[in-house]
Amino acid sequence: MDTALAPGLYIVATPIGNLGDITLRAVETLRGVSAVACEDTRVTGKLLHHLGIKQRLVRYDDHASEETREYLLRLAGEGPLALVSDAGTPLISDPGFKLVRMARERGIAVTSLPGASAAIMAITLSGIPSDRFLFAGFLPSKDKARRETLAELAAVPATLVFYETSPRLTDALAAIDDVLPGREVAVARELTKKFEECRSGTAQDLIAHYTAHPPKGEIALVIAPPLPAEPEDHDVDALLREALAGAKASQAAGQVAKATGLDRKMLYARAMELK
């Protein structure tokens, strides 16, 4: 690295499977920081060993104490501190946001180094529309809560992306089939690894496949957005006559346009014919 890193918090994405996906900038940053905050020191230790880097590791996960967070903020205020997750981009289904929020509130510089993300990779592999998507983390493990979550998001006009575990995959697909029937689903698993797979179809098709071939590894589910609603077959004349009984043609046209979404000028012209 040409110059020493300035004090602050450096959010560093790490590989999700294939160690070759680490970026040159990430390697330089991990070498140059004073310490690395990580979910599991054993996992991050293996990555650093592979990269030939020796660093002080500080465990920071969902169960980290307030004292640990304060310690890390002090380190970031005095020198460069890296934040990593076990795999992928920190803060995506990861506890790091509290540390980032507090660092920003205290005026500590925060920067993020882009890199691997299972959610983004799954979307790009799926062939499902990617122009608008919603990442919603892990589906709940309990069936009732899982179905409630899917129902809550059913009307969102976007592709849905969830993380899931292999033992719960068929249960999750059954809930999708029930709550979001007919939608295309993609199961992306073992991403960047030797047995990488992205299989798509209906939830029922996928249930049949994974019942016969129990999956292994981490999984991302990609669910197609809802189809556009079919236009309703309105009895325009009946609606206009009802509105004309108590309003002028322009007002009647406005009322029917608001109720149906039809063109107001067209409705006004028809209202004048019906008067």
Side-chain angles (χ1 to χ4, degrees), residues 30-167:
L30 291 171
R31 282 202 180 105
V33 294
S34 58
V36 177
C38 55
E39 288 183 273
D40 189 326
T41 58
R42 295 166 299 179
V43 173
T44 301
K46 289 178 182 178
L47 173 64
L48 295 182
H49 178 75
H50 171 77
L51 298 173
I53 297 173
K54 290 185 178 180
Q55 267 299 358
R56 175 163 48 133
L57 301 179
V58 182
R59 190 177 185 109
Y60 182 73
D61 57 19
D62 279 320
H63 308 292
S65 66
E66 191 66 28
E67 289 76 16
T68 299
R69 193 173 295 117
E70 289 293 338
Y71 173 65
L72 292 173
L73 289 168
R74 187 165 66 253
L75 289 178
E78 297 172 351
L81 171 72
L83 172 67
V84 302
S85 64
D86 283 349
T89 301
L91 279 74
I92 307 300
S93 287
D94 172 82
F97 84 92
K98 294 179 183 177
L99 188 65
V100 171
R101 180 190 290 272
M102 292 182 70
R104 291 175 62 85
E105 289 173 349
R106 297 186 187 188
I108 297 171
V110 179
T111 190
S112 184
L113 284 62
S117 170
I120 298 300
M121 185 174 176
I123 294 168
T124 60
L125 285 175
S126 70
I128 291 173
S130 57
D131 55 324
R132 177 187 281 186
F133 61 87
L134 171 67
F135 173 69
F138 280 89
L139 278 169
S141 58
K142 301 294 185 182
D143 189 60
K144 182 174 183 294
R146 182 189 294 126
R147 290 169 185 269
E148 288 174 348
T149 296
L150 291 170
E152 178 186 354
L153 300 175
V156 173
T159 292
L160 302 178
V161 186
F162 297 97
Y163 286 160
E164 190 51 277
T165 63
S166 49

Side-chain angles (χ1 to χ4, degrees), residues 128 173 176 183-187 199-203 206 221-223:
I128 291 173
L173 290 170
I176 293 168
R183 294 203 197 180
E184 182 182 5
V185 182
V187 173
R199 180 176 294 271
S200 60
T202 66
L206 294 169
L221 287 170
V222 183
I223 306 172

Side-chain angles (χ1 to χ4, degrees), residues 199-229:
R199 180 176 294 271
S200 60
T202 66
Q204 289 185 357
D205 292 339
L206 294 169
I207 290 170
H209 174 78
Y210 287 112
T211 298
H213 306 88
K216 295 181 180 179
E218 300 299 323
I219 289 169
L221 287 170
V222 183
I223 306 172
L227 294 173

